[in-house]
Every structure is written in structure tokens, then in C-alpha cells.
Amino acid sequence: MVSLAVFLLVVLACLLAPVFEHAVAHTDAFTSNISGTTVVDGRRVPVLTPSSTGLGLGVTPIGPTWDLHHYFLGADGQGRDVMARLLFGGRNSLLIGVLSAVIACGAATVLGVAAGYFGGVLDAVLSRLFDVVWAFPVYLLAISLSVVLLTSGLTVGPVHIEGDSLWLPILIIAVIYVPYVARPLRGQVLTLRGRDFIQAGVGNGASDLRILRKDVLPNVMPTVLVFLPLMTALNMLTESALSFLSIGVQPPNASWGTIINDGLGLLYTRPMVTLAPGLMIAVTAVALNLLGDGVRSALDPKARLRGAA
Amino acid sequence: MTDRAPRPDAPGDVLLEARDLSKHFPVRGRSALGGRQVLRAVDGVSLEVRAGETLGVVGESGCGKSTLGRCLVRLTDVTSGTVSFRGRDITRLSRRRLRPVRRDLQLVFQDPYASLNPRRRIGDILAEPMQIHGYGDRRAIARHVRELLDVVGLNASHVDRFPHEFSGGQRQRVGIARALAMNPKVIVADEPVSALDVSIQAQVLNLFLDLQDEFALTYVFIAHDLGVVRHVSTRIVVMYLGEVVETATTDPLYDRPGHPYTEALLQSAPDVEDEDAAPRERILLTGDVPNPVDKPSGCPFRTRCPYAQARCAQEHPALREVAPGRHVACHFPLVTPDGDPAPHALSLRSRGSTG
């Protein structure tokens, strides 16, 4: 499972962000260092120099030093270490991706299974609700919700979520993707419901709860588990897009999306600021998608038999 | 529990009874103007199942046999009519009230590949009814699971296997074991061997017969294979388009069918038993079964019946006793009140003329 290894490597690297910041980079990833200096090849150089060439964009930070010390990947427009920020940003990107995927899949399992199993009015209401959410273009809905909630925050009963909290993008992304998981699950439960082994449970007087727990959920879980890495990848991409538009993760927090945004003005002189987080997103998303495929074949009992034969 | 009568059922007591049972399914109207159409899967069926007997239910595909079976064990709600078990109406019982009845009333499914959850172990599947109905502690249940496997001819070491590790015949044995778990009175078997290889069918049928002797079971045996039904049944119900067209004890029905449809069914079955018999004129069923959404007027069989007359299109024949123990829904039954062949019965006349 190379994909799993790659993903875990990315996670591990991001978890080690504070260690990297203190032990290797020796800079603060979250404070500007506009007038600071650093040592490259034994010479003391300023982190930012006024630009004389290029497009006259003001200051140009130092580029990648490829020296596992200060400014491995160079500095961004405010003189901050890109590598350290990349790792810290990855934490948020992964956290949002994984948590929103877990929440989306969890809610989708409950709602999709309930709609498919109980049918009737509940199914009609839930299905129309899914349709309504599904009818919006994903990004349009995400952007609208983010813009509205960013300024005011979100208050649900006694719980108040500040506008700059990470929970806001997590919840928004989770809610948007619920129908994408719930609808296929509902369909699956609908076919399961007619299967004879469910009828056998009914014929033995099993309660709904028992049938759901023993017969429906075990048959639905593989689908959910396949969805989980796929949704994580998708949610990470959505998060990056929102953060890139500066309506996702709010400063001083960073995520891969915000770092790409930071590097936008430096694209011609210091492309690494944008490229590095872009590459991380791509690698992680590919790894997660392959992981989803791997989970699918690992959980299919017939596929396992075929593999053994 | 009061539902479990202490008194054993004497042979011949009516255990399970359907009265004027109907199950209609709504279908989408074909025409733009068409109102709500219904598919009459089971249409006014009345029958009795007596303790100790095996009631065979035969008919072509789509005649409502399986739906009838599911209504009898209350797996589907019925549209109208009643089902009663030991004289108690169970048609409208809630799921909770129905639970004690379900111990005594079990179904064996047609497709052994669909009736076992692929993600549960055999032991878990067999333990479920006992867990629901409170059989005893974990060890008592485990012991009974092994007994059940033994009873149906499987190895007690199979408890930890998954259904896909078994053949069709073995799976059907598991399905039978599950039905037996709470020592039921009546087992409704819905084409239990039709999905199996012919070589396996006989083994499973014999298992049914052995179990009947051992546990004093009463069967409702649904099948489209006349040979299978004859082998196991003591009494037979013939269904056509959701209605009962004939009921009789097995041998008289096979020897002298009373309803034209029964006659045609019997003749459509290849006769391998007496090779020496003279070739007889066959009455072949022509055309397809009419659409149960749009049933013919009068007698449902008249569109394919060789004896049909004008009266058949106007008047729906009621099921009536035409000879002792024989109920036929036909204006022109093929047996006389003495149980002899009626003079107009084609097959018997032709048999007489050629043989």
C-alpha cells in the first residue's frame, strides 16, 4: 500500500512542523521578517531585497536555498520560511480534509441509511433536502456560506463558532458534500432492504435497530470506508480553493490554499512559494484516491478470493 | 407466554388459515389518462393448512405463489382478507405482538444466495432467532447452533464460516436450520429447491421430509415443479393469476385433474414414470399468462382454456366442492361428483381412444 505510506508520510511531516520550525528552520513561521537577514553559503544576506528586475513588484524574497536550514524553500513575501509554513499549513489542510470527510460520511451514513431503510415521508423529506444541496454548484454554495459566516461567525444554540475558526470551513465543506455520499448509500440500502436476508430478519421478529446494526450497516460500511479517503481528497481540494480565495482558513493560520495565495504575487520571481503547496495538494490527493481504490479491493471478499486463487 | 398453547396440535387441526386473502401492488398507469392501476398478485385466496400435512402450492411463474407465502408468514402486509394462526387473527398484529407468533411460523427462502447475509458468520446467522426470542444464555445458544447444523446435515465446525464458503445446497441447509431454530409449527417453503442443482434437489427434499417426521412440522410447500410437489405434498393448491383454481389431495389431483388449468399443467410436465404408456394427446397451453394488472373478465383462465364457453367470460366461477375433498373453480369441472372423469374431459377421452 504505497498510497497509504505516502499519505502517512505527509501526515507525519506535517505533525512534525513545530519540530522543524525550532530545530531546523530557526524562524517563526507566523511572524513577518521583512527587514531580517539570514546566512546563505556563509554570507549574510537580507531575506527581502528591493526588486530591480522582474515586474517591479516591490521586494523579492530569497529563493530556495536547498539547504536544510533556514529557508529551505525560500521565503514568502513577508520573509517567512516557506517550508515551515508548508508544514504548518499542511496540518490545517489535512485536519480540515479529514475532519470534514469524517463528519460528511458520518452524517451521510445516518441520513442515507435512515432514508433508504425507513422510506416513506422521512425518505421523501431527506431526499429532497439532498437534492436541494446537490442542485447548487459546490463552489458557489461553499463560497456563499463562507462569505456569510466569515463575518458573523456561526451560533447554534449555546455554541458559537468564531469567523476565523477552523471549524467553519470544516462544517461548511462537510455539509456541502453530505448528499454526494448519502445518495449512493440510500440507493444501496434500498436494494438491501428488498434482499431476502433482511426479510429473514423481519420474519424472525428482529427489531429495526437490530436489522440496521446487524444486516444493513455491515453491508454499507465498505462503501463508507471507500468514500472516506476519496472525500478527504475532495474536501482538501475544496478547502484549498476556499483558502485560496481567502474565505477558508483565516490569517494568521495558514493552509496550503492560503500559501498558494501568498505566492501569487511572486509567481514569476519565486514560483516555489506557490508550487510547493500545489505539489503537496496534488501528491496527497492522488495518494488518497489510490488509497480509496485500495480499500475498495481489500474490502471486497470476492476480489480477495480472486487474488488468492 | 399465553401465545404458546401448551396443548399439542392434533393432526388435522387447522393451524394456518387464509380467508379471502388479497395482496395488490400499485403500478404506474400505462396510459396518460389511466388512474391508479393495481397488480392483483393474490386475489381472494382462501385456504387452510392442517397440522401435520404438507400443502403444496403450484402454479406458473407470476401466479402469486411467493406473494401468498409471504402473506402467510406476514412478511408483507395484506391488502384485504385475514390470515389466522391457530384460530387467532394475525393479519393486523403489530410487529411486537407478532413476534411470539413468528417463532411458530417460519419461511425458507427460494434463493439461498440472497437469504444469507454475506457478511455474517453461519453461527451468527443461526443464533439470531434465538437471541431475539430469548433462547438462553450464550452457551445454550452456541450449543443449539451446533445441534441445528447437525440436524440439517452440516458439520458443527462450520459455525465460523461465511455463506460464500458454502455451496447452494449447503446454504439452503443453513436457511432450513435458521427456520428450525425456534422449533416452529409451520414452515412455509418458497420454492426451496428451484435454485439448486437437480442432483442436490433430492437431498434437500429428503431433508425436508426427514425433518417433518422428526419435529412434527407442517409445511406449505410452494413450487412450480409438479414432480417436486407430488413427492412431498399430501394436499395441493393450484393457483392461477392470484386465485386458487383447485384444491385436492395429491393423488386424485394428479390422476384426475378437476380444473382445465390443472390438466394442462400436468400435461405440460414430461412424463417419465411410465414409459410404456401410449402416447397421448397433449393439451398444450397456448399464449402467455394474461397480465395480472388487467385480468380477463369472468374466469381468469378462459383465454387459454380449451373448454371455454360464453358463460366463462361473464361469470366468475367460485371455488366449490365438486366432489368430496375436491374444490374446483370452474363452471365445467373435469370430474363428476363421484370423483370420476367428466365426459367432456379431453385428455382422458383421448387417452381412452388411443390406449
Side-chain angles (χ1 to χ4, degrees):
Chain A
M1 300 234 79
V2 182
S3 52
L4 183 63
V6 170
F7 177 66
L8 289 180
L9 208 66
V10 172
V11 172
L12 189 69
C14 293
L15 285 177
L16 290 175
V19 179
F20 181 87
E21 186 189 27
H22 293 299
V24 183
H26 300 295
T27 54
D28 189 334
F30 292 99
T31 44
S32 305
N33 192 19
I34 292 172
S35 53
T37 58
T38 186
V39 178
V40 177
D41 295 338
R43 283 181 295 128
R44 183 155 288 275
V45 294
V47 172
L48 299 177
T49 49
S51 164
S52 50
T53 56
L55 300 174
L57 291 170
V59 289
T60 308
I62 56 168
T65 60
W66 304 122
D67 167 16
L68 250 182
H69 193 49
H70 297 200
Y71 300 107
F72 176 70
L73 292 177
D76 67 3
Q78 297 189 48
R80 297 173 297 196
D81 187 314
V82 172
M83 184 66 198
R85 284 180 66 74
L86 191 68
L87 297 183
F88 274 110
R91 293 178 135 202
N92 288 335
S93 286
L94 290 170
L95 185 73
I96 293 174
V98 171
L99 266 186
S100 61
V102 168
I103 294 173
C105 287
T109 307
V110 172
L111 297 177
V113 168
Y117 184 80
F118 292 106
V121 179
L122 185 71
D123 182 30
V125 170
L126 286 176
S127 291
R128 291 302 81 74
L129 215 61
F130 297 155
D131 287 346
V132 167
V133 176
W134 200 323
F136 286 96
V138 169
Y139 285 101
L140 188 67
L141 186 58
I143 291 167
S144 329
L145 284 174
S146 302
V147 169
V148 171
L149 295 176
L150 260 183
T151 47
S152 61
L154 177 65
T155 308
V156 183
V159 185
H160 180 72
I161 300 171
E162 294 293 337
D164 57 357
S165 163
L166 282 185
W167 280 106
L168 217 48
I170 290 175
L171 289 178
I172 289 170
I173 294 169
V175 165
I176 288 166
Y177 283 115
V178 162
Y180 289 75
V181 184
R183 290 240 305 215
L185 286 181
R186 170 186 170 270
Q188 204 188 349
V189 173
L190 226 49
T191 56
L192 277 177
R193 183 123 180 61
R195 296 278 297 276
D196 279 348
F197 62 81
I198 304 267
Q199 295 296 308
V202 175
N204 271 316
S207 61
D208 285 330
L209 207 64
R210 183 182 190 95
I211 292 173
L212 284 171
R213 191 163 51 86
K214 292 268 193 168
D215 289 324
V216 177
L217 275 185
N219 280 287
V220 160
M221 275 333 274
T223 315
V224 178
L225 286 180
V226 170
F227 263 118
L228 209 54
L230 299 179
M231 291 312 288
T232 305
L234 195 60
N235 292 358
M236 259 181 44
L237 292 176
T238 311
E239 180 276 327
S240 303
L242 291 180
S243 296
F244 176 75
L245 298 170
S246 42
I247 47 175
V249 174
Q250 294 303 304
N253 258 333
S255 85
W256 287 337
T258 64
I259 300 173
I260 291 178
N261 192 13
D262 291 344
L264 210 53
L266 302 165
L267 203 55
Y268 294 103
T269 48
R270 293 290 176 254
M272 195 47 75
V273 183
T274 299
L275 277 183
L279 259 166
M280 290 304 287
I281 292 170
V283 167
T284 315
V286 168
L288 284 169
N289 276 301
L290 292 179
L291 184 62
D293 278 352
V295 171
R296 195 203 315 269
S297 47
L299 288 177
D300 186 350
K302 286 179 196 136
R304 209 179 327 163
L305 276 184
R306 238 178 280 132
Chain B
M1 242 175 280
T2 52
D3 297 296
R4 240 173 135 68
R7 160 185 73 84
D9 298 285
D13 281 3
V14 174
L15 274 184
L16 189 62
E17 185 180 14
R19 193 163 291 157
D20 212 15
L21 190 69
S22 293
K23 174 66 181 177
H24 299 172
F25 295 102
V27 287
R28 302 234 161 102
R30 298 260 165 73
S31 66
L33 297 169
R36 284 197 90 82
Q37 288 184 295
V38 291
L39 186 152
R40 299 164 187 273
V42 176
D43 206 7
V45 166
S46 298
L47 53 83
E48 298 169 346
V49 185
R50 296 177 183 279
E53 76 171 348
T54 300
L55 182 69
V57 179
V58 292
E60 285 168 284
S61 301
C63 72
K65 308 183 295 277
S66 292
T67 309
L68 174 67
R70 286 176 188 229
C71 289
L72 287 179
V73 298
R74 281 298 319 281
L75 264 188
T76 51
D77 287 327
V78 303
T79 308
S80 64
T82 58
V83 180
S84 35
F85 179 69
R86 281 180 165 156
R88 177 174 174 225
D89 186 352
I90 60 166
T91 324
R92 320 254 170 244
L93 287 188
S94 66
R95 277 176 80 167
R96 179 180 297 273
R97 304 278 299 279
L98 204 54
R99 196 170 291 160
V101 180
R102 294 207 185 277
R103 303 163 59 136
D104 289 332
L105 209 51
Q106 283 290 323
L107 185 70
V108 173
F109 291 86
Q110 172 176 10
D111 183 358
Y113 291 88
S115 66
L116 304 177
N117 186 341
R119 303 205 174 262
R120 292 177 71 172
R121 295 176 194 279
I122 298 305
D124 189 27
I125 290 171
L126 292 182
E128 175 153 73
M130 296 179 242
Q131 290 162 356
I132 293 167
H133 297 293
Y135 182 83
D137 63 6
R138 195 179 291 258
R139 284 173 58 196
I141 289 176
R143 196 181 323 120
H144 191 47
V145 165
R146 286 196 298 274
E147 283 167 10
L148 284 170
L149 284 172
D150 189 47
V151 161
V152 297
L154 291 173
N155 197 318
S157 64
H158 289 164
V159 282
D160 286 329
R161 296 215 185 155
F162 284 99
H164 67 143
E165 297 175 59
F166 289 97
S167 68
Q170 288 174 314
R171 284 167 180 235
Q172 197 55 293
R173 287 172 191 267
V174 175
I176 295 167
R178 173 173 58 192
L180 283 176
M182 291 310 291
N183 199 11
K185 295 290 169 205
V186 181
I187 290 183
V188 177
D190 182 7
E191 305 212 23
V193 296
S194 65
L196 305 177
D197 285 350
V198 178
S199 58
I200 308 293
Q201 286 189 358
Q203 295 174 17
V204 174
L205 282 180
N206 287 331
L207 174 65
F208 269 102
L209 294 176
D210 293 345
L211 293 172
Q212 185 165 37
D213 290 342
E214 193 171 344
F215 298 105
L217 294 168
T218 302
Y219 289 141
V220 176
F221 205 95
I222 299 167
H224 61 258
D225 184 327
L226 291 159
V228 166
V229 171
R230 181 169 202 175
H231 184 56
V232 297
S233 305
T234 48
R235 210 155 58 86
I236 289 179
V237 169
V238 183
M239 282 184 75
Y240 186 77
L241 276 181
E243 298 179 23
V244 173
V245 294
E246 179 167 5
T247 65
T249 44
T250 303
D251 286 335
L253 182 126
Y254 274 81
D255 294 342
R256 295 177 300 279
H259 192 281
Y261 178 62
T262 314
E263 182 184 46
L265 260 190
L266 289 174
Q267 299 223 336
S268 69
D271 192 354
V272 290
E273 277 184 7
D274 45 338
E275 292 170 9
D276 302 333
R280 57 187 195 206
E281 190 183 325
R282 288 185 186 277
I283 301 164
L284 292 175
L285 279 179
T286 52
D288 289 328
V289 183
N291 186 351
V293 174
D294 187 19
K295 284 170 73 168
S297 65
C299 172
F301 187 58
R302 68 167 169 86
T303 53
R304 303 166 79 192
C305 179
Y307 311 100
Q309 298 186 17
R311 182 185 172 195
C312 301
Q314 281 135 27
E315 213 179 312
H316 184 275
L319 192 67
R320 61 197 167 96
E321 187 161 18
V322 296
R326 310 200 69 169
H327 296 259
V328 177
C330 182
H331 295 308
F332 310 104
L334 302 181
V335 287
T336 62
D338 302 327
D340 295 327
H344 67 285
L346 278 175
S347 63
L348 300 156
R349 191 164 57 198
S350 66
R351 183 183 281 175
S353 65
T354 52

